[in-house]
Amino acid sequence: MSRQGARLDAKKVNSELFTLTYGTLVSQLLKDYENVDEVNKQLERMGYNIGIRLIEDFLARTGSGRCYDFKDTAEKIQAGFRIFLGVSPTISNWGPGGDEFSLIFESNPLTEFVELPDHCLNLKYCNILAGVLRGACEMVQMEVTSWFVQDQLKGDNVTELRVKFIKRLEDAIPAGED
Amino acid sequence: MADEALYEFLHSELVGYVTEKSAKENKKDDLSALEYMGFSSGYRIIERLTKERPRFNDELDTVKFICTDLWSTIYKKQIDNLRTNHQGVYVLHDCAFRFLSKLSSGRQYLESAPKYVAFTCGLIRGALANLGIKCLVTAEVQNMPGCKFHIQVQRS
Amino acid sequence: MAVCIAVIGKENSPKYVACLHSENELQFHYKVHTALDVVEEKLSLAGKSNCDVRELYLGLLHSTEEHKIFGYVTNTKIKFIVIVEAANTTLRDNEVRTMFRRLHAAYTDVVCNPFYIPGDHIVSKKFENVVKSIMSGNS
């Protein structure tokens, strides 16, 4: 079949489809749950489910071994965003104990085209990301928690996701041992 | 490509969410929310995809666009076969549908197959709706991972 | 520089109308309606004569002593109408095309906002900024 008009840029289209699909998910959740906090929770939960599977893909793709320390973890998370979302957040604002840092996003494919209406000010639109981090880290024996400190959808210049190390999780006992 | 994996996981979560929701509401197998999410996504994406494109000549031209340009960018390949009776019925046959390829080919997975094509049925319906073609889209899965999408144009 | 910009939906109902000077709004609404008739005419000619409506930009639809009215219809049947002052003789064709391209890009962004329900009136700060910029002649 002969093609006319501009050739579609597959990378761009897929990124846009991802953005739109995520947007319809958020809309659906807002329809299903009256409480915005519930929506935030659901997004985090789904992110968790994605995170526990995404980490396998990440490890296979990068051949990464164990993280030496939390700074190493931060860099791997940064790499993960680059690989899967095509964005490069900067790492900054390290806490004094070295167990807390921020990821600063100047752009975010999840929020492209989004304009948050006034009645959704408590919505953590990108909360799925917090869940993804929690799930991914749990699979490599780390308990972390993350939360949004700044949000471009709410008028801030950047979106800032803060990540905190809680504790190391017990290694699973390998099969075969008692 | 890495973003493919992420999209597949997101799609899986949508499927899981709707399945759970329907079960809770005692409406087992109700995939309408999934179809609607596809509809909304398709409707919106087509607005972007047709921005630079000259006007479509006719209905067949529009459906062909879905089968070639749209399908190859989103589903990584073109539709393998397009049939039409030239009276508003189109059958799009994809021999290796992206979201079914990850499911095993065994017959026991045939039961879950509808969940993995519902979003796409909606996507096609939404894309065509925004282009002025109102239709019904259903899917037929007989030989995994192949899938036939049936488009029935509704003329008022 | 435009004095009026309108976005008309599929069913020919207005989704967004902005005028540089609000006192002329009613007059412009009327002009937009007249322009829509011309749009329908042009689209229905598609394929019948050697008239080529494959282009989204429809060009000059109508002119009066005071104004020139240009039109553009997307593949998704959304119509954009731009009205400029007839006195503006330095306005080039490609400048008008650029106005429509920017409008089109801004419109597709609105449609992709998950909080926008297609068919509704457009309420978007980003869109408004683009329209203001087009009307004031900033590139």
Side-chain angles (χ1 to χ4, degrees):
Chain A
M1 268 175 254
S2 68
R3 202 89 53 82
Q4 280 182 306
R7 253 203 112 88
L8 296 178
D9 176 350
K11 216 167 147 86
K12 186 157 163 293
V13 173
N14 281 302
S15 176
E16 289 170 353
L17 182 63
F18 181 82
T19 303
L20 293 173
T21 305
Y22 184 72
T24 62
L25 172 63
V26 177
S27 295
Q28 185 67 42
L29 290 175
L30 285 168
K31 253 189 258 177
D32 294 341
Y33 295 98
E34 282 178 15
N35 190 330
V36 163
D37 280 330
E38 240 343 282
V39 175
N40 292 335
K41 264 201 217 120
Q42 285 297 324
L43 286 173
E44 205 275 353
R45 191 177 74 102
M46 292 192 193
Y48 174 83
N49 292 339
I50 293 176
I52 59 180
R53 294 155 78 189
L54 201 64
I55 186 73
E56 297 284 344
D57 200 289
F58 176 80
L59 293 174
R61 240 175 252 277
T62 59
S64 293
R66 272 225 134 120
C67 287
Y68 299 118
D69 57 22
F70 204 46
K71 275 198 164 58
D72 198 16
T73 308
E75 278 165 21
K76 294 208 165 77
I77 291 176
Q78 185 190 42
F81 274 103
R82 204 181 52 243
I83 292 171
F84 295 109
L85 279 182
V87 281
S88 300
T90 45
I91 301 172
S92 77
N93 295 349
W94 277 98
D99 62 348
E100 227 177 277
F101 66 91
S102 284
L103 288 164
I104 313 279
F105 296 85
E106 291 193 9
S107 72
N108 180 352
L110 288 182
T111 58
E112 221 188 333
F113 322 127
V114 178
E115 285 184 77
L116 217 56
D118 294 327
H119 64 268
C120 289
L121 291 179
N122 286 329
L123 178 66
K124 295 174 189 168
Y125 190 88
C126 300
N127 222 26
I128 202 166
L129 297 178
V132 170
L133 288 188
R134 182 170 69 92
C137 289
E138 191 176 293
M139 287 293 110
V140 290
Q141 272 72 54
M142 266 190 285
E143 187 182 322
V144 301
T145 181
S146 52
W147 65 100
F148 289 95
V149 176
Q150 293 191 77
D151 190 343
Q152 281 173 313
L153 291 183
K154 294 177 188 167
D156 296 316
N157 281 334
V158 294
T159 294
E160 184 181 345
L161 178 62
R162 195 140 183 84
V163 186
K164 184 183 166 76
F165 175 80
I166 306 292
K167 65 176 191 276
R168 191 154 277 283
L169 296 166
E170 290 299 311
D171 282 351
I173 297 173
E177 283 189 11
D178 273 275
Chain B
M1 276 173 70
D3 53 359
E4 279 178 34
L6 186 58
Y7 191 72
E8 259 132 44
F9 290 139
L10 181 64
H11 181 259
S12 280
E13 279 311 300
L14 261 62
V15 171
Y17 172 72
V18 172
T19 308
E20 217 183 88
K21 179 174 115 90
S22 309
K24 263 192 231 161
E25 294 169 359
N26 277 323
K27 291 192 216 149
K28 192 169 175 282
D29 300 335
D30 179 6
L31 301 172
S32 55
L34 202 50
E35 203 272 355
Y36 181 72
M37 286 195 266
F39 177 87
S40 180
S41 303
Y43 189 101
R44 295 170 205 262
I45 196 123
I46 211 76
E47 196 76 55
R48 305 196 75 77
L49 295 186
T50 55
K51 189 156 56 114
E52 310 282 330
R53 210 195 168 283
R55 220 175 289 288
F56 290 107
N57 287 323
D58 54 27
E59 192 179 275
L60 182 59
D61 204 22
T62 311
V63 176
K64 278 194 190 153
F65 178 78
I66 305 284
C67 297
T68 54
D69 296 59
L70 185 83
W71 219 261
S72 49
T73 31
I74 295 177
Y75 301 111
K76 316 298 166 197
K77 52 187 283 296
Q78 290 194 11
I79 284 282
D80 295 292
N81 192 284
L82 166 67
R83 279 185 148 131
T84 176
N85 64 358
H86 294 286
Q87 279 169 15
V89 176
Y90 301 85
V91 182
L92 279 55
H93 187 191
D94 186 336
C95 298
F97 183 57
R98 181 183 172 190
F99 294 127
L100 292 177
S101 307
K102 300 286 148 81
L103 301 182
S104 306
S105 310
R107 283 208 79 83
Q108 68 266 38
Y109 292 98
L110 214 54
E111 248 185 59
S112 341
K115 296 182 193 161
Y116 288 88
V117 296
F119 183 87
T120 299
C121 287
L123 189 113
I124 299 170
R125 187 170 73 89
L128 289 172
N130 199 5
L131 293 170
I133 299 173
K134 197 160 169 231
C135 60
L136 276 177
V137 183
T138 52
E140 183 196 329
V141 181
Q142 283 184 341
N143 296 312
M144 297 259 272
C147 183
K148 285 195 177 137
F149 293 93
H150 294 253
I151 301 175
Q152 174 109 43
V153 178
Q154 310 199 285
R155 306 200 199 282
S156 44
Chain C
M1 175 172 147
V3 291
C4 177
I5 287 177
V7 178
I8 314 292
K10 295 174 202 283
E11 316 293 331
N12 284 346
S13 62
K15 300 298 165 214
Y16 185 88
V17 180
C19 301
L20 202 55
H21 309 293
S22 49
E23 58 266 19
N24 297 336
E25 245 177 77
L26 202 57
Q27 184 202 123
F28 282 129
H29 275 257
Y30 178 73
K31 284 198 154 80
V32 167
H33 272 284
T34 317
L36 285 179
D37 289 336
V38 183
V39 169
E40 292 300 320
E41 231 184 271
K42 284 205 174 209
L43 290 179
S44 66
L45 283 174
K48 290 192 184 136
S49 59
N50 56 1
C51 180
D52 182 18
V53 266
R54 294 263 295 161
E55 263 207 290
L56 303 183
Y57 173 60
L58 295 181
L60 182 66
L61 298 175
H62 184 57
S63 47
T64 65
E65 242 182 60
E66 297 170 335
H67 298 108
K68 286 194 207 146
I69 307 174
F70 298 89
Y72 181 108
V73 183
T74 68
N75 269 308
T76 55
K77 314 288 187 289
I78 303 294
K79 295 122 193 142
F80 301 127
I81 306 287
V82 169
I83 303 180
V84 301
E85 283 174 339
N88 189 345
T89 48
T90 59
L91 192 64
R92 295 192 316 270
D93 185 62
N94 69 335
E95 281 176 294
V96 181
R97 282 172 189 269
T98 303
M99 281 195 233
F100 281 115
R101 250 200 311 274
R102 290 180 63 196
L103 209 50
H104 194 173
Y107 176 75
T108 53
D109 284 356
V110 168
V111 171
C112 292
N113 176 11
F115 295 101
Y116 172 72
I117 299 172
D120 278 2
H121 260 87
I122 297 171
V123 177
S124 154
K125 288 198 182 75
K126 287 186 198 168
F127 188 77
E128 263 183 53
N129 289 338
V130 172
V131 169
K132 279 202 184 98
S133 157
I134 295 174
M135 285 207 289
S136 63
N138 292 331
S139 47

